[in-house]
Amino acid sequence: MREELYKDPVFSMAMEQFNEVADFLELNDEIRERCRWPKRWITVSVPVRMDDGTTKVFHGHRVQHHLTRGPVKGGLRYHPEVKLGEITALAIWMTWKCALMDLPFGGGKGGIACDPSAMSTGELERLTRRFTMEMIPFIGPNIDVMAPDMGTNEQTMAWMTDTYSTHNGHLEPSIVTGKPLTLQGSPGRTKATGHGVAFLASSALEQTGGSTQGASAIVQGFGNVGSHTAHTLDTYGVAIKGISDVHGAIWNDKQIHLAKLRKHLSKEGTVAGFAEAETIDPQEMLHQKCDILAPCAMDRAIHKDNAAKLQCRILAEGANGPTTPEADRILNERGDVHIIPDVLCNAGGVTTSYFEWVQNLQRYRWTEREVLTKLETMLQRTQQQVRRYAERHKLTQRTAAQALGVCNVAKAKATRGMFP
Ligand code: NAD
């Protein structure tokens, strides 16, 4: 019955990974079950008045995987394909990510099945405000703190802050993270996920005998994570040769000029058609030779049919769940691709969200340099911890990273005990 509720290929991926980690950690059945299942999932229908005067009912989910180590933390996604099983898998990965980074949070994720690109600003605002109202009994700065994800952004978070604050009668900025600076967002938060991906990818490259100077990269997805990954890699001296988004892919054998691409993107709404690059098939782009391949779009981008064709040295997982377990096995057998698993690679986002939450609770603001320095210190420490743990126990980077996270959660659950 429970499995039926969450039935989804992405949920199956999260379960397969969890079972491998739980076997390695030799967790007993009781603690396994307590770690595995979400504490709560909330599904709401969200009626919205559309611009043409009709009313449309959208469906949204929020999964709170566990609250043992603190409030639930995780993004809110707007996408036509949002499903409960996938949202649950993303909440589970958030749990391991927060515990791996030793942040005082459990994992959560939310989503509304909608196509934001086909909705007006007014429709998106009404959808966001109504969803927030429906969530009010279940969220709060000490219960559940949402953040942007695919299809949502700073403006979405501003509407959520306003709706929650109006309901409470005073401004409560710590209800969400990823807010605009004018509403006490944190300097550095918008770029944090991509900055972290690039920082970890370049240090992995150097640790495996390469150098960022003269290196090349391919980035799949050019939204928040992909664009900031590309930008930071560019500042490190890495040539970005291939970039794709949902509309197409572009290639320049020397290097894509990012400032010019941003101008093209703001006019056309897509990277496709950029004059100073060739068009390339988005799948073919992934197979090109490069030092760093950063999938920063959707889950399952690297699968059994393309894993053998990758020609990168570092696979930097900016997206959540971009590599299927079959692809993982192929890459691990090959042994020539260093994978930075999602729970580590994109942890810059939630870590900086944690900094934003702390600043909001303290009514204090740090500078962007302070934020990014603290972030880099934490990412570097965790990357070294994962590498040492993987070496000591002969594990893949993914299993090592998840095992460190699961272990922290299991210990917290065992230590707190169970209310009789
Ligand atoms: P976004 O909506 O800002 O951007 C998504 C990008 O992916 C867009 O450029 C879109 O065109 C592109 N895309 C969608 N489908 C594609 C396809 N089939 N092929 C190529 N490109 C495609 O989303 P985002 O916030 O950048 O999130 C991207 C991924 O990173 C998601 O998996 C998300 O869960 C993960 N993530 C985001 C954050 C964050 O702080 N935003 C933090 C951690 C992880």
PDB file of all heavy atoms in Angstrom, residues 209-239:
ATOM      1  N   GLY A 209      44.240  15.235 -10.606  1.00  0.00           N
ATOM      2  CA  GLY A 209      45.405  15.461 -11.467  1.00  0.00           C
ATOM      3  C   GLY A 209      45.199  16.460 -12.581  1.00  0.00           C
ATOM      4  O   GLY A 209      46.097  16.676 -13.388  1.00  0.00           O
ATOM      5  N   GLY A 210      44.032  17.098 -12.656  1.00  0.00           N
ATOM      6  CA  GLY A 210      43.777  18.079 -13.723  1.00  0.00           C
ATOM      7  C   GLY A 210      43.974  19.497 -13.225  1.00  0.00           C
ATOM      8  O   GLY A 210      44.406  19.725 -12.093  1.00  0.00           O
ATOM      9  N   SER A 211      43.661  20.444 -14.104  1.00  0.00           N
ATOM     10  CA  SER A 211      43.752  21.859 -13.723  1.00  0.00           C
ATOM     11  C   SER A 211      42.587  22.604 -14.366  1.00  0.00           C
ATOM     12  O   SER A 211      42.168  22.270 -15.485  1.00  0.00           O
ATOM     13  CB  SER A 211      45.083  22.414 -14.231  1.00  0.00           C
ATOM     14  OG  SER A 211      44.998  23.812 -14.329  1.00  0.00           O
ATOM     15  N   THR A 212      42.069  23.611 -13.678  1.00  0.00           N
ATOM     16  CA  THR A 212      40.929  24.352 -14.249  1.00  0.00           C
ATOM     17  C   THR A 212      41.387  25.206 -15.433  1.00  0.00           C
ATOM     18  O   THR A 212      40.620  25.417 -16.370  1.00  0.00           O
ATOM     19  CB  THR A 212      40.263  25.263 -13.195  1.00  0.00           C
ATOM     20  OG1 THR A 212      41.283  25.983 -12.516  1.00  0.00           O
ATOM     21  CG2 THR A 212      39.443  24.482 -12.204  1.00  0.00           C
ATOM     22  N   GLN A 213      42.622  25.683 -15.368  1.00  0.00           N
ATOM     23  CA  GLN A 213      43.135  26.516 -16.470  1.00  0.00           C
ATOM     24  C   GLN A 213      43.199  25.658 -17.732  1.00  0.00           C
ATOM     25  O   GLN A 213      43.861  24.635 -17.752  1.00  0.00           O
ATOM     26  CB  GLN A 213      44.532  27.056 -16.140  1.00  0.00           C
ATOM     27  CG  GLN A 213      44.524  28.220 -15.148  1.00  0.00           C
ATOM     28  CD  GLN A 213      43.639  29.383 -15.597  1.00  0.00           C
ATOM     29  OE1 GLN A 213      43.603  29.724 -16.778  1.00  0.00           O
ATOM     30  NE2 GLN A 213      42.900  29.972 -14.658  1.00  0.00           N
ATOM     31  N   GLY A 214      42.461  26.096 -18.747  1.00  0.00           N
ATOM     32  CA  GLY A 214      42.478  25.348 -20.006  1.00  0.00           C
ATOM     33  C   GLY A 214      41.519  24.165 -20.022  1.00  0.00           C
ATOM     34  O   GLY A 214      41.424  23.455 -21.024  1.00  0.00           O
ATOM     35  N   ALA A 215      40.799  23.938 -18.926  1.00  0.00           N
ATOM     36  CA  ALA A 215      39.842  22.827 -18.913  1.00  0.00           C
ATOM     37  C   ALA A 215      38.561  23.234 -19.661  1.00  0.00           C
ATOM     38  O   ALA A 215      38.346  24.409 -19.952  1.00  0.00           O
ATOM     39  CB  ALA A 215      39.501  22.468 -17.459  1.00  0.00           C
ATOM     40  N   SER A 216      37.722  22.240 -19.969  1.00  0.00           N
ATOM     41  CA  SER A 216      36.479  22.532 -20.693  1.00  0.00           C
ATOM     42  C   SER A 216      35.284  21.932 -19.948  1.00  0.00           C
ATOM     43  O   SER A 216      35.445  20.966 -19.185  1.00  0.00           O
ATOM     44  CB  SER A 216      36.551  21.940 -22.102  1.00  0.00           C
ATOM     45  OG  SER A 216      36.760  20.546 -21.994  1.00  0.00           O
ATOM     46  N   ALA A 217      34.107  22.521 -20.181  1.00  0.00           N
ATOM     47  CA  ALA A 217      32.907  22.028 -19.487  1.00  0.00           C
ATOM     48  C   ALA A 217      31.684  22.091 -20.391  1.00  0.00           C
ATOM     49  O   ALA A 217      31.610  22.902 -21.321  1.00  0.00           O
ATOM     50  CB  ALA A 217      32.657  22.852 -18.225  1.00  0.00           C
ATOM     51  N   ILE A 218      30.734  21.203 -20.075  1.00  0.00           N
ATOM     52  CA  ILE A 218      29.430  21.178 -20.746  1.00  0.00           C
ATOM     53  C   ILE A 218      28.377  21.277 -19.647  1.00  0.00           C
ATOM     54  O   ILE A 218      28.487  20.583 -18.623  1.00  0.00           O
ATOM     55  CB  ILE A 218      29.258  19.857 -21.533  1.00  0.00           C
ATOM     56  CG1 ILE A 218      30.272  19.786 -22.676  1.00  0.00           C
ATOM     57  CG2 ILE A 218      27.829  19.700 -22.048  1.00  0.00           C
ATOM     58  CD1 ILE A 218      30.309  18.441 -23.382  1.00  0.00           C
ATOM     59  N   VAL A 219      27.382  22.141 -19.856  1.00  0.00           N
ATOM     60  CA  VAL A 219      26.354  22.349 -18.825  1.00  0.00           C
ATOM     61  C   VAL A 219      24.978  22.080 -19.423  1.00  0.00           C
ATOM     62  O   VAL A 219      24.581  22.728 -20.399  1.00  0.00           O
ATOM     63  CB  VAL A 219      26.431  23.792 -18.263  1.00  0.00           C
ATOM     64  CG1 VAL A 219      25.373  24.004 -17.187  1.00  0.00           C
ATOM     65  CG2 VAL A 219      27.827  24.085 -17.702  1.00  0.00           C
ATOM     66  N   GLN A 220      24.276  21.133 -18.842  1.00  0.00           N
ATOM     67  CA  GLN A 220      22.904  20.851 -19.292  1.00  0.00           C
ATOM     68  C   GLN A 220      21.942  21.606 -18.392  1.00  0.00           C
ATOM     69  O   GLN A 220      21.933  21.405 -17.177  1.00  0.00           O
ATOM     70  CB  GLN A 220      22.600  19.350 -19.193  1.00  0.00           C
ATOM     71  CG  GLN A 220      21.202  19.007 -19.700  1.00  0.00           C
ATOM     72  CD  GLN A 220      20.774  17.603 -19.309  1.00  0.00           C
ATOM     73  OE1 GLN A 220      20.947  17.183 -18.174  1.00  0.00           O
ATOM     74  NE2 GLN A 220      20.207  16.878 -20.258  1.00  0.00           N
ATOM     75  N   GLY A 221      21.115  22.481 -18.973  1.00  0.00           N
ATOM     76  CA  GLY A 221      20.192  23.316 -18.183  1.00  0.00           C
ATOM     77  C   GLY A 221      20.841  24.654 -17.938  1.00  0.00           C
ATOM     78  O   GLY A 221      22.010  24.722 -17.524  1.00  0.00           O
ATOM     79  N   PHE A 222      20.106  25.733 -18.231  1.00  0.00           N
ATOM     80  CA  PHE A 222      20.698  27.070 -18.045  1.00  0.00           C
ATOM     81  C   PHE A 222      19.740  27.943 -17.236  1.00  0.00           C
ATOM     82  O   PHE A 222      19.501  29.094 -17.553  1.00  0.00           O
ATOM     83  CB  PHE A 222      21.023  27.695 -19.411  1.00  0.00           C
ATOM     84  CG  PHE A 222      22.104  28.735 -19.336  1.00  0.00           C
ATOM     85  CD1 PHE A 222      23.393  28.399 -18.940  1.00  0.00           C
ATOM     86  CD2 PHE A 222      21.841  30.061 -19.673  1.00  0.00           C
ATOM     87  CE1 PHE A 222      24.396  29.360 -18.874  1.00  0.00           C
ATOM     88  CE2 PHE A 222      22.841  31.024 -19.610  1.00  0.00           C
ATOM     89  CZ  PHE A 222      24.121  30.678 -19.207  1.00  0.00           C
ATOM     90  N   GLY A 223      19.181  27.343 -16.179  1.00  0.00           N
ATOM     91  CA  GLY A 223      18.345  28.119 -15.260  1.00  0.00           C
ATOM     92  C   GLY A 223      19.208  28.594 -14.117  1.00  0.00           C
ATOM     93  O   GLY A 223      20.384  28.932 -14.306  1.00  0.00           O
ATOM     94  N   ASN A 224      18.655  28.587 -12.915  1.00  0.00           N
ATOM     95  CA  ASN A 224      19.417  29.085 -11.768  1.00  0.00           C
ATOM     96  C   ASN A 224      20.728  28.316 -11.595  1.00  0.00           C
ATOM     97  O   ASN A 224      21.811  28.901 -11.578  1.00  0.00           O
ATOM     98  CB  ASN A 224      18.544  28.993 -10.504  1.00  0.00           C
ATOM     99  CG  ASN A 224      19.314  29.416  -9.271  1.00  0.00           C
ATOM    100  OD1 ASN A 224      20.242  28.725  -8.855  1.00  0.00           O
ATOM    101  ND2 ASN A 224      18.981  30.551  -8.704  1.00  0.00           N
ATOM    102  N   VAL A 225      20.642  26.997 -11.487  1.00  0.00           N
ATOM    103  CA  VAL A 225      21.843  26.207 -11.169  1.00  0.00           C
ATOM    104  C   VAL A 225      22.826  26.202 -12.345  1.00  0.00           C
ATOM    105  O   VAL A 225      24.023  26.474 -12.178  1.00  0.00           O
ATOM    106  CB  VAL A 225      21.456  24.761 -10.768  1.00  0.00           C
ATOM    107  CG1 VAL A 225      22.699  23.963 -10.411  1.00  0.00           C
ATOM    108  CG2 VAL A 225      20.476  24.769  -9.605  1.00  0.00           C
ATOM    109  N   GLY A 226      22.328  25.897 -13.529  1.00  0.00           N
ATOM    110  CA  GLY A 226      23.206  25.782 -14.697  1.00  0.00           C
ATOM    111  C   GLY A 226      23.912  27.084 -15.029  1.00  0.00           C
ATOM    112  O   GLY A 226      25.122  27.099 -15.304  1.00  0.00           O
ATOM    113  N   SER A 227      23.179  28.203 -15.004  1.00  0.00           N
ATOM    114  CA  SER A 227      23.800  29.469 -15.417  1.00  0.00           C
ATOM    115  C   SER A 227      24.875  29.887 -14.418  1.00  0.00           C
ATOM    116  O   SER A 227      25.947  30.351 -14.813  1.00  0.00           O
ATOM    117  CB  SER A 227      22.753  30.570 -15.596  1.00  0.00           C
ATOM    118  OG  SER A 227      22.144  30.868 -14.366  1.00  0.00           O
ATOM    119  N   HIS A 228      24.632  29.705 -13.124  1.00  0.00           N
ATOM    120  CA  HIS A 228      25.649  30.100 -12.143  1.00  0.00           C
ATOM    121  C   HIS A 228      26.820  29.109 -12.120  1.00  0.00           C
ATOM    122  O   HIS A 228      27.956  29.499 -11.844  1.00  0.00           O
ATOM    123  CB  HIS A 228      25.027  30.270 -10.749  1.00  0.00           C
ATOM    124  CG  HIS A 228      24.154  31.504 -10.684  1.00  0.00           C
ATOM    125  ND1 HIS A 228      24.675  32.772 -10.710  1.00  0.00           N
ATOM    126  CD2 HIS A 228      22.814  31.646 -10.638  1.00  0.00           C
ATOM    127  CE1 HIS A 228      23.694  33.655 -10.672  1.00  0.00           C
ATOM    128  NE2 HIS A 228      22.551  33.006 -10.636  1.00  0.00           N
ATOM    129  N   THR A 229      26.551  27.848 -12.427  1.00  0.00           N
ATOM    130  CA  THR A 229      27.661  26.889 -12.556  1.00  0.00           C
ATOM    131  C   THR A 229      28.571  27.333 -13.699  1.00  0.00           C
ATOM    132  O   THR A 229      29.799  27.416 -13.542  1.00  0.00           O
ATOM    133  CB  THR A 229      27.116  25.468 -12.851  1.00  0.00           C
ATOM    134  OG1 THR A 229      26.294  25.058 -11.764  1.00  0.00           O
ATOM    135  CG2 THR A 229      28.233  24.462 -13.053  1.00  0.00           C
ATOM    136  N   ALA A 230      27.951  27.637 -14.840  1.00  0.00           N
ATOM    137  CA  ALA A 230      28.741  28.051 -16.014  1.00  0.00           C
ATOM    138  C   ALA A 230      29.506  29.332 -15.708  1.00  0.00           C
ATOM    139  O   ALA A 230      30.707  29.432 -16.006  1.00  0.00           O
ATOM    140  CB  ALA A 230      27.805  28.260 -17.209  1.00  0.00           C
ATOM    141  N   HIS A 231      28.836  30.287 -15.089  1.00  0.00           N
ATOM    142  CA  HIS A 231      29.485  31.577 -14.811  1.00  0.00           C
ATOM    143  C   HIS A 231      30.700  31.380 -13.889  1.00  0.00           C
ATOM    144  O   HIS A 231      31.783  31.907 -14.154  1.00  0.00           O
ATOM    145  CB  HIS A 231      28.479  32.540 -14.177  1.00  0.00           C
ATOM    146  CG  HIS A 231      29.118  33.810 -13.713  1.00  0.00           C
ATOM    147  ND1 HIS A 231      29.456  34.823 -14.576  1.00  0.00           N
ATOM    148  CD2 HIS A 231      29.532  34.202 -12.482  1.00  0.00           C
ATOM    149  CE1 HIS A 231      30.052  35.786 -13.902  1.00  0.00           C
ATOM    150  NE2 HIS A 231      30.105  35.448 -12.623  1.00  0.00           N
ATOM    151  N   THR A 232      30.530  30.619 -12.811  1.00  0.00           N
ATOM    152  CA  THR A 232      31.646  30.456 -11.858  1.00  0.00           C
ATOM    153  C   THR A 232      32.786  29.675 -12.504  1.00  0.00           C
ATOM    154  O   THR A 232      33.954  30.031 -12.336  1.00  0.00           O
ATOM    155  CB  THR A 232      31.162  29.773 -10.557  1.00  0.00           C
ATOM    156  OG1 THR A 232      30.027  30.489 -10.084  1.00  0.00           O
ATOM    157  CG2 THR A 232      32.235  29.774  -9.486  1.00  0.00           C
ATOM    158  N   LEU A 233      32.455  28.625 -13.268  1.00  0.00           N
ATOM    159  CA  LEU A 233      33.524  27.876 -13.956  1.00  0.00           C
ATOM    160  C   LEU A 233      34.297  28.801 -14.888  1.00  0.00           C
ATOM    161  O   LEU A 233      35.526  28.750 -14.976  1.00  0.00           O
ATOM    162  CB  LEU A 233      32.927  26.705 -14.747  1.00  0.00           C
ATOM    163  CG  LEU A 233      32.476  25.494 -13.923  1.00  0.00           C
ATOM    164  CD1 LEU A 233      31.745  24.490 -14.814  1.00  0.00           C
ATOM    165  CD2 LEU A 233      33.667  24.811 -13.224  1.00  0.00           C
ATOM    166  N   ASP A 234      33.557  29.671 -15.579  1.00  0.00           N
ATOM    167  CA  ASP A 234      34.167  30.638 -16.500  1.00  0.00           C
ATOM    168  C   ASP A 234      35.167  31.536 -15.746  1.00  0.00           C
ATOM    169  O   ASP A 234      36.278  31.777 -16.218  1.00  0.00           O
ATOM    170  CB  ASP A 234      33.028  31.469 -17.121  1.00  0.00           C
ATOM    171  CG  ASP A 234      33.492  32.381 -18.226  1.00  0.00           C
ATOM    172  OD1 ASP A 234      33.965  31.860 -19.247  1.00  0.00           O
ATOM    173  OD2 ASP A 234      33.394  33.622 -18.062  1.00  0.00           O
ATOM    174  N   THR A 235      34.775  31.972 -14.533  1.00  0.00           N
ATOM    175  CA  THR A 235      35.694  32.838 -13.768  1.00  0.00           C
ATOM    176  C   THR A 235      36.938  32.061 -13.309  1.00  0.00           C
ATOM    177  O   THR A 235      37.966  32.637 -13.032  1.00  0.00           O
ATOM    178  CB  THR A 235      35.030  33.475 -12.524  1.00  0.00           C
ATOM    179  OG1 THR A 235      34.660  32.424 -11.629  1.00  0.00           O
ATOM    180  CG2 THR A 235      33.813  34.312 -12.869  1.00  0.00           C
ATOM    181  N   TYR A 236      36.831  30.724 -13.223  1.00  0.00           N
ATOM    182  CA  TYR A 236      37.999  29.904 -12.850  1.00  0.00           C
ATOM    183  C   TYR A 236      38.909  29.629 -14.058  1.00  0.00           C
ATOM    184  O   TYR A 236      39.905  28.930 -13.942  1.00  0.00           O
ATOM    185  CB  TYR A 236      37.565  28.535 -12.311  1.00  0.00           C
ATOM    186  CG  TYR A 236      36.824  28.532 -10.990  1.00  0.00           C
ATOM    187  CD1 TYR A 236      36.064  27.417 -10.620  1.00  0.00           C
ATOM    188  CD2 TYR A 236      36.875  29.599 -10.098  1.00  0.00           C
ATOM    189  CE1 TYR A 236      35.376  27.372  -9.413  1.00  0.00           C
ATOM    190  CE2 TYR A 236      36.181  29.561  -8.881  1.00  0.00           C
ATOM    191  CZ  TYR A 236      35.438  28.455  -8.553  1.00  0.00           C
ATOM    192  OH  TYR A 236      34.756  28.401  -7.370  1.00  0.00           O
ATOM    193  N   GLY A 237      38.487  30.078 -15.256  1.00  0.00           N
ATOM    194  CA  GLY A 237      39.304  29.837 -16.449  1.00  0.00           C
ATOM    195  C   GLY A 237      38.898  28.588 -17.218  1.00  0.00           C
ATOM    196  O   GLY A 237      39.630  28.127 -18.094  1.00  0.00           O
ATOM    197  N   VAL A 238      37.725  28.029 -16.899  1.00  0.00           N
ATOM    198  CA  VAL A 238      37.239  26.840 -17.619  1.00  0.00           C
ATOM    199  C   VAL A 238      36.445  27.307 -18.851  1.00  0.00           C
ATOM    200  O   VAL A 238      35.601  28.198 -18.731  1.00  0.00           O
ATOM    201  CB  VAL A 238      36.326  25.977 -16.710  1.00  0.00           C
ATOM    202  CG1 VAL A 238      35.748  24.796 -17.477  1.00  0.00           C
ATOM    203  CG2 VAL A 238      37.090  25.516 -15.481  1.00  0.00           C
ATOM    204  N   ALA A 239      36.728  26.718 -20.015  1.00  0.00           N
ATOM    205  CA  ALA A 239      36.003  27.079 -21.242  1.00  0.00           C
ATOM    206  C   ALA A 239      34.680  26.313 -21.298  1.00  0.00           C
ATOM    207  O   ALA A 239      34.682  25.075 -21.293  1.00  0.00           O
ATOM    208  CB  ALA A 239      36.850  26.744 -22.454  1.00  0.00           C
TER     209      ALA A 239
END
